[in-house]
């Protein structure tokens, strides 16, 4: 059972962190460089909307699998890296919730209104916070692997 929980936990983390890396390192730069705001912003809002469904699912899987693995060992016996991973994961979840309910919601409103300067400002906020989450994700991975 533990290996199954661990598999789903890792898969959820890979989807979330890998998706952020893909969007910011592979998709966004050429889209930003080659498309005008009237095309770029609706495209990015649509891509993010689909990706964010995956992120919500990943968060649910991370919580549903992570807590049983942690409780099986016990909080006191868990390695320091696990505690750091838990704290970072909760921080990442809070940052993502802010992204989703604030700048992303406003990005969709700006796109619907055709307000491209506001949409560009909001996508910039999403990108900045997603970069922070991407960095935090790598720190969480390093913590769980290196702090035993």
């Amino acid at each position: 059972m533990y290996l199954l929980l661990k598999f789903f936990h890792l898969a959820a983390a890979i989807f979330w962190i890998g998706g952020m890396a893909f969007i910011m390192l592979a998709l966004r730069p050429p889209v930003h460089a080659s498309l005008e705001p009237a095309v770029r912003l609706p495209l990015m809002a649509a891509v993010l909307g689909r990706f964010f469904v995956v992120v919500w699912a990943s968060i649910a899987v991370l919580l549903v699998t992570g807590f049983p693995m942690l409780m099986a060992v016990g909080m006191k016996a868990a390695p320091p890296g696990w505690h750091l991973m838990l704290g970072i994961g909760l921080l990442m979840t809070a940052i993502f919730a802010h992204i989703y309910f604030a700048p992303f919601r406003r990005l969709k409103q700006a796109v619907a209104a055709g307000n491209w300067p506001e949409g560009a400002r909001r996508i910039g906020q999403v990108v900045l916070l997603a970069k922070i989450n991407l960095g935090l994700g790598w720190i969480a991975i390093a913590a769980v692997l290196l702090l035993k």
Side-chain angles (χ1 to χ4, degrees):
M1 183 65 167
Y2 175 82
L3 290 178
L4 191 60
L5 289 173
K6 189 174 182 179
F7 169 77
F8 283 110
H9 194 79
L10 289 171
I14 289 166
F15 273 107
W16 188 3
I17 294 171
M20 286 188 293
F22 171 76
I23 287 171
M24 284 189 285
L25 302 175
L27 178 65
R28 186 176 179 273
V31 165
H32 186 74
S34 61
L35 298 176
E36 294 299 317
V39 177
R40 176 178 71 238
L41 293 169
L43 173 65
M44 290 304 295
V47 168
L48 290 173
R50 291 179 146 239
F51 174 60
F52 288 168
V53 171
V54 173
V55 174
W56 282 120
S58 293
I59 289 169
V61 169
L62 286 164
L63 293 172
V64 166
T65 58
F67 279 113
M69 289 190 293
L70 183 59
M71 293 303 117
V73 172
M75 289 295 283
K76 288 184 180 180
W82 287 25
H83 290 276
L84 195 54
M85 178 181 56
L86 173 59
I88 291 170
L90 293 174
L91 175 60
M92 289 176 67
T93 299
I95 291 170
F96 172 71
H98 173 71
I99 290 170
Y100 186 82
F101 292 112
F104 178 63
R105 183 178 58 82
R106 293 182 186 112
L107 168 64
K108 292 189 301 182
Q109 291 170 344
V111 166
N115 185 345
W116 308 130
E118 179 66 11
R121 186 166 89 81
R122 298 308 180 172
I123 195 82
Q125 290 175 331
V126 169
V127 167
L128 174 63
L129 292 168
K131 285 179 180 178
I132 291 168
N133 257 3
L134 182 59
L136 288 171
W138 283 110
I139 292 169
I141 291 169
V144 78
L145 292 175
L146 302 175
L147 300 176
K148 296 188 178 217

